[in-house]
Amino acid sequence: MSGDDSIARALRDRQLDVTELVRQAEAEARAEVLATMRERFVAELLRRVQHELEPGTVVALAGIGDGLRPLAFELDRAALDDETQLEQLVRRHNDLLTAALADGVVVPFRFGTTFADQGALDAWLERHRFPLELELERLRGKAEWNVEAIAPERPAGERYLEERLATAVLPDARARLVEVAEERTGDAYLVANDNQGAFADAIAELETAGHELRVTGPWPPYSFARMPG
């Protein structure tokens, strides 16, 4: 082999080595870029979570009253970690709702519905004005009642079959209450003010027939409010 051939082979071999080195360098560079992007993404995610958890004051929305009036109050996030303050906040939330119900209508929201500030709440109300007005009209003059049938203790011995037969012939409590309610979900009934007397009469009939019922209300329509998307 001539000297020129040896040099050509060496150059070819060298070219192959350089190509491999370039490929490896590109792969390492891509991995480094991906790692950097991943670190930045995680850091940003943690920053956002920390911001949400940091103590600070936000505007809590308990519900919407007549005339699209927001039932709102300031809420300090730090108070959520204090049992006494948390109880006071929940009570304030419920007091706003029951007062609005007494005025005729309320669309209740879950405790903990918050906005960054009053401006953010006002903007949200404006965006959802139409569905909220429809919901106010749908719930006007209506309240929620909860009626739970209390199961008797299982009797022992020969009385078991006798008690089962007696229970089997009782009227269907839910079917009777639905007759005088606007809507039902589970043990909750949405009852119009005009039907409150009929609803109370239905409960009395069921109790006279042998049902043991636990009745609570009237409440704001927690189970029936349809939240705008």
Side-chain angles (χ1 to χ4, degrees):
M1 179 183 296
S2 68
D4 290 341
D5 290 339
S6 298
I7 293 172
R9 174 178 291 184
L11 287 173
R12 287 196 299 273
D13 293 343
R14 183 61 176 172
Q15 182 64 37
L16 290 175
D17 291 340
V18 169
T19 301
E20 179 63 20
L21 288 174
V22 169
R23 188 191 66 78
Q24 292 178 1
E26 288 178 346
E28 291 173 359
R30 281 195 294 268
E32 184 176 348
V33 169
L34 288 173
T36 301
M37 291 177 62
R38 191 178 297 113
E39 288 176 3
R40 290 180 178 177
F41 174 78
V42 171
E44 176 64 13
L45 182 61
L46 289 174
R47 185 191 67 77
R48 293 184 182 184
V49 171
Q50 278 184 331
H51 175 72
E52 290 298 322
L53 297 179
E54 281 176 359
T57 301
V58 294
V59 176
L61 180 65
I64 304 295
D66 206 0
L68 211 66
R69 177 171 59 93
L71 309 173
F73 58 95
E74 285 192 350
L75 185 151
D76 188 343
R77 290 194 188 102
L80 300 177
D81 295 326
D82 183 281
E83 187 173 342
T84 301
Q85 294 186 68
L86 178 59
E87 182 180 349
Q88 293 173 351
L89 290 170
V90 172
R91 189 169 300 170
R92 185 175 183 184
H93 178 101
N94 289 331
D95 287 347
L96 286 171
L97 295 177
T98 53
L101 179 64
D103 289 338
V105 62
V106 63
V107 179
F109 282 66
R110 292 187 300 272
F111 178 79
T113 301
T114 61
F115 295 83
D117 51 38
Q118 187 62 44
L121 172 56
D122 292 341
W124 183 87
L125 286 173
E126 188 59 34
R127 288 197 305 273
H128 298 91
R129 173 178 293 275
F130 182 66
L132 286 170
E133 287 175 343
L134 290 179
E135 193 66 357
L136 283 167
E137 289 309 308
R138 186 180 74 86
L139 297 176
R140 185 177 301 281
K142 301 181 180 82
E144 178 175 326
W145 288 81
N146 191 276
V147 182
E148 180 184 358
I150 303 175
E153 294 184 9
R154 177 171 176 169
E158 297 179 357
R159 290 189 54 225
Y160 176 65
L161 181 59
E162 180 183 337
E163 292 288 347
R164 284 293 301 273
L165 290 172
T167 303
V169 299
L170 289 178
D172 187 330
R174 287 182 170 178
R176 177 68 182 94
L177 294 175
V178 164
E179 293 176 3
V180 288
E182 305 292 318
E183 297 179 36
R184 178 186 74 83
T185 177
D187 292 326
Y189 298 84
L190 184 66
V191 183
N193 290 344
D194 293 343
N195 286 338
Q196 298 287 336
F199 192 76
D201 290 342
I203 290 173
E205 291 173 14
L206 292 167
E207 291 177 330
T208 300
H211 280 286
E212 186 176 354
L213 304 174
R214 181 183 292 112
V215 183
T216 59
W219 304 112
Y222 298 108
S223 304
F224 301 96
R226 299 167 185 167
M227 298 298 105

